[in-house]
Structures are given as C-alpha cells and as structure tokens.
Amino acid sequence: MSIVMRVPESPNNELLFCGFNQDFACFAIGTKSGFRIYNCDPFKEVIRRAEQAGGIGIVEMLFRCNILALVGGGLNPRYPTNKVLIWDDHQTRPIGELSFKSAVKAVRLRRDRIVCVLETKVYVYNFSDLSLEDTIATAKNDLGLVALCPSSTDMVLACPGLSRGSVRVELYNIRRKTFINAHESDLAALALNLTGTRLATASDKGTLVRVYDTQTGALQQELRRGADRALVYSICFDQLCKYLACSSDKGTVHIFKLSDGTSGGPNKQGNSQGASGSGSGSGGSRKQTSGPGSGKDDNAKSTLRFMKGILPKYFSSEWSFAQFRIPGYSKASVAMKAICAFGAEENTLLTITADGKFLKCNFARGGDCAV
C-alpha cells in the first residue's frame, strides 16, 4: 500500500522523492543530500540522514522498523541508480545490496519480500537471504508502477501486463494469476487495498478510476475523477476499504465511497478457473448505490442516470462525494505534484506536495474540504 512520488530535480527544490509507508503512519523523503523520515500524527521529523553528499531518489520504508531500501537519485546520486541498498538505520550502514543492468524505477517492501521494478521487468526477492523468487516481464514501465499487499497472511502483487492498459495480478498464496484489461490507454497509477482483494487503476487519460476484484478480475466500481484529461499522481484505499482517494495535476484530491463489493459486481467476469483469470474494464453492470441525499458520504450521481444505455456513459458515472483543493495550485508548477493517503484519525486525508507541504483535511461532511 506504499504511496510514492518521484520529483524531477529542480534548482529551487531539494526534494527528489516522497513516499508513505505501508500503513500511512509515516512518510520518507529523499533529497539531494540524504533522506528524512516523518511521523504523520502528530507530525514531526524523526530521522534525518544528510551526512554525505549525493542524492537519494528512492526511500522505501518497512512499516516503522529500522530497515529501509535506498536508491541513488538526482544529478549527483549518492549510490548508483541501478542498485538497491538495504539500509539498517540502527547501524547507519547498508546490510545488503541488489544490482541490476539498468536503472531501478521503484522498490516495494514487505516483511518477507523485496520487489524491484525496472523498465520492463519486476523482480521479487526473499527478504531473509536476497534470493530471487520470481521474475515478471511487463510492458514499458517508466513510471515504475507496482503495488504490493503488506498483509502478513496474503501476498498479492500487481504490475503492468505485457499489453497496453493491462494489469497482471499475482496471488502467490493461492498460486493464481489474474489478467485484467483495465484500460484502453496506458496505465498511470494502480493500488491494492490492505488485504489485496481489490485493485484500483487509472489510465493516462485520468478521467476514470476503476476498482476490480483481484481474484476474478471483475469490475466492481467505476469512479469518475472528471471530464477533462488529467495526470493521476496517486490512488489509495483507506485501511478498511470504505473509501478511495486520488490526486492529479488538476490540483484537486477526490474522495470516493466504495461499494460493499460482496455482491452486485458486473455480469461479465473473468475466468477464475485454473491458474489465471481475466477481466475487462469495458463492459458489465455495477452495483447501484442510492442517489444523492440518502447519505452524507454517497458518491454524487447524475439525475439522468436512469437513462443509462441511452445517454453517453458520462451520465451514469459516480463522482466523488468529497474534494480537497490544494492551496496555491498552479498547473504550470512542479510543486503541485502531490500524493495522498488516509490518516489514522477517522475521516482524515493526508496530502504531500512536491514543494514539501504536508496537508491534513477532514472529509466527514463531504463536499469541499479545507485544511
């Protein structure tokens, strides 16, 4: 469930990377001179390591423990960008290393596995002895898209498939693969919930977020971020899988209510027999939730949705029930790149911007939320 953001190097910005840990209790940043770790609630800096010159382009945490994964970054990287350093912060030194032939795009950790993402490959390693467990071929993946379930009982991994807009889900515990044709265009973001039962995806069009069942590949819900194209920076589920949030280059974070997901899925489901299943984002009917006014946290819906099948699909969409506008938004500024996660306090959303702002809002009342 780690939510991360790579930041292009800028003369006016020290930040190279920002990412929440698996339970959103902390976040780490990589800078041109080291890395730092912050606690979210209460907000405070807990670790600062900037004793040496050189940038850190990836800082992946393992919950709150002393073990981190580091990759060099920026114009003057501290470590080679094709190496993953396993860092013990108690000893303040690397205790392991993984080397590759090309640059590392992303790293994810769980207590028993290390996942490293390259441009067209995903490598899965055993944490205890760094032995290679699995290799997955993907389509070109410059964004380093990957999602890893942190649950101690279920190991689920999602990454781009070989075809455009497709997602491959590995359910290692039950030895099953699910292939989902999520979008017709390239993927821009993906996320798993805490238990690995749901997958959320967005394409580079950025208008829709789709939620799938990871075992069957069935489309459970289709959520509309907006009508205009947008670059989606992050998607996240809350801990109980009741809500989903996404941030984009429009400067607004949208919060959606998720359906139960236990019934009312699409008629068109993936084949879950044998070793693999498949699903499609292009068809099927979803569970219909109640209309506006039936609850403060219902997703907004068009009053013309009863004409579904006659009017364009836009009019049967589910829209966010709460929105948070990032203060000082300017689309031309890289500083407005942002990631979001749900806070430990009920109905709170955390947002971090590329210029180093940490923002917290409450969405209990729905509508427009303020810091």
Side-chain angles (χ1 to χ4, degrees):
M1 282 178 66
S2 302
I3 309 296
V4 303
M5 169 174 61
R6 305 289 293 272
V7 182
E9 184 158 1
S10 167
N12 301 319
N13 192 354
E14 280 289 311
L15 197 64
L16 297 175
F17 172 91
C18 182
F20 287 97
N21 73 341
Q22 289 82 359
D23 60 6
F24 311 147
C26 304
F27 68 91
I29 65 169
T31 71
K32 297 176 183 178
S33 60
F35 68 88
R36 306 172 196 173
I37 294 177
Y38 294 83
N39 190 72
C40 291
D41 193 9
F43 176 77
K44 64 177 179 178
E45 182 181 293
V46 292
I47 292 175
R48 180 184 290 234
R49 299 285 180 255
E51 295 85 0
Q52 304 174 15
I56 302 295
I58 296 176
V59 188
E60 177 71 6
M61 300 181 65
L62 181 60
F63 291 95
R64 289 177 175 267
C65 82
N66 55 297
I67 302 299
L68 307 167
L70 304 179
V71 179
L75 297 178
N76 180 33
R78 180 176 302 183
Y79 308 113
T81 57
N82 67 326
K83 290 187 177 182
V84 177
L85 280 294
I86 308 303
W87 177 272
D88 185 335
D89 201 63
H90 286 170
Q91 302 182 48
T92 61
R93 66 177 183 88
I95 58 172
E97 179 182 299
L98 296 168
S99 298
F100 304 94
K101 294 181 180 180
S102 60
V104 176
K105 302 293 185 180
V107 182
R108 296 291 185 272
L109 300 180
R110 47 179 282 145
R111 292 185 173 95
D112 56 355
R113 295 291 187 274
I114 302 170
V115 174
C116 302
V117 181
L118 276 61
E119 187 175 53
T120 58
K121 288 285 197 307
V122 174
Y123 295 96
V124 182
Y125 294 89
N126 187 299
F127 211 133
S128 61
D129 58 6
L130 301 186
S131 60
L132 183 62
E133 296 284 324
D134 196 7
T135 302
I136 303 171
T138 71
K140 191 175 180 181
N141 186 14
D142 286 331
L143 295 176
L145 299 179
V146 69
L148 183 65
C149 165
S151 168
S152 59
T153 57
D154 299 288
M155 183 177 172
V156 182
L157 181 149
C159 63
L162 289 171
S163 59
R164 188 181 190 189
S166 69
V167 181
R168 173 172 175 164
V169 181
E170 292 282 349
L171 301 112
Y172 287 101
N173 292 73
I174 59 176
R175 299 182 180 180
R176 176 181 295 170
K177 300 175 179 65
T178 305
F179 297 95
I180 301 171
N181 296 316
H183 301 273
E184 294 180 356
S185 56
D186 293 330
L187 294 170
L190 54 84
L192 289 168
N193 67 340
L194 182 65
T195 56
T197 58
R198 284 188 177 186
L199 167 75
T201 66
S203 75
D204 60 4
K205 291 177 65 176
T207 54
L208 296 172
V209 176
R210 292 180 172 135
V211 182
Y212 296 91
D213 182 286
T214 56
Q215 288 200 26
T216 66
L219 177 64
Q220 292 189 325
Q221 211 165 352
E222 188 171 82
L223 308 167
R224 182 167 289 276
R225 184 214 55 80
D228 299 329
R229 292 184 71 102
L231 178 58
V232 174
Y233 293 134
S234 68
I235 306 174
C236 66
F237 293 91
D238 76 317
Q239 297 279 13
L240 300 178
C241 205
K242 292 171 57 181
Y243 302 105
L244 179 145
C246 75
S247 61
S248 74
D249 66 348
K250 295 295 185 181
T252 302
V253 180
H254 293 268
I255 306 167
F256 302 89
K257 173 73 179 296
L258 295 175
S259 60
D260 186 10
T262 57
S263 63
N267 296 325
K268 187 175 182 179
Q269 294 190 358
N271 177 13
S272 61
Q273 297 178 355
S276 66
S278 64
S280 172
S282 59
S285 60
R286 297 180 306 278
K287 179 179 179 180
Q288 301 301 310
T289 54
S290 52
S294 60
K296 64 182 179 182
D297 56 357
D298 283 331
N299 294 328
K301 304 173 184 67
S302 170
T303 55
L304 299 176
R305 69 182 287 112
F306 69 92
M307 299 181 69
K308 181 179 179 181
I310 301 175
L311 293 176
K313 193 175 181 181
Y314 175 88
F315 291 97
S316 60
S317 297
E318 291 187 53
W319 301 73
S320 58
F321 80 93
Q323 309 83 36
F324 170 62
R325 186 77 173 175
I326 298 173
Y329 166 73
S330 170
K331 189 172 183 178
S333 173
V334 69
M336 288 303 104
K337 191 173 184 179
I339 56 173
C340 59
F342 289 92
E345 187 179 343
E346 187 176 10
N347 299 324
T348 58
L349 184 80
L350 311 175
T351 304
I352 303 173
T353 65
D355 63 346
K357 291 187 179 71
F358 176 79
L359 307 168
K360 180 179 178 180
C361 71
N362 187 293
F363 59 85
R365 295 185 178 181
D368 292 327
C369 307
V371 178

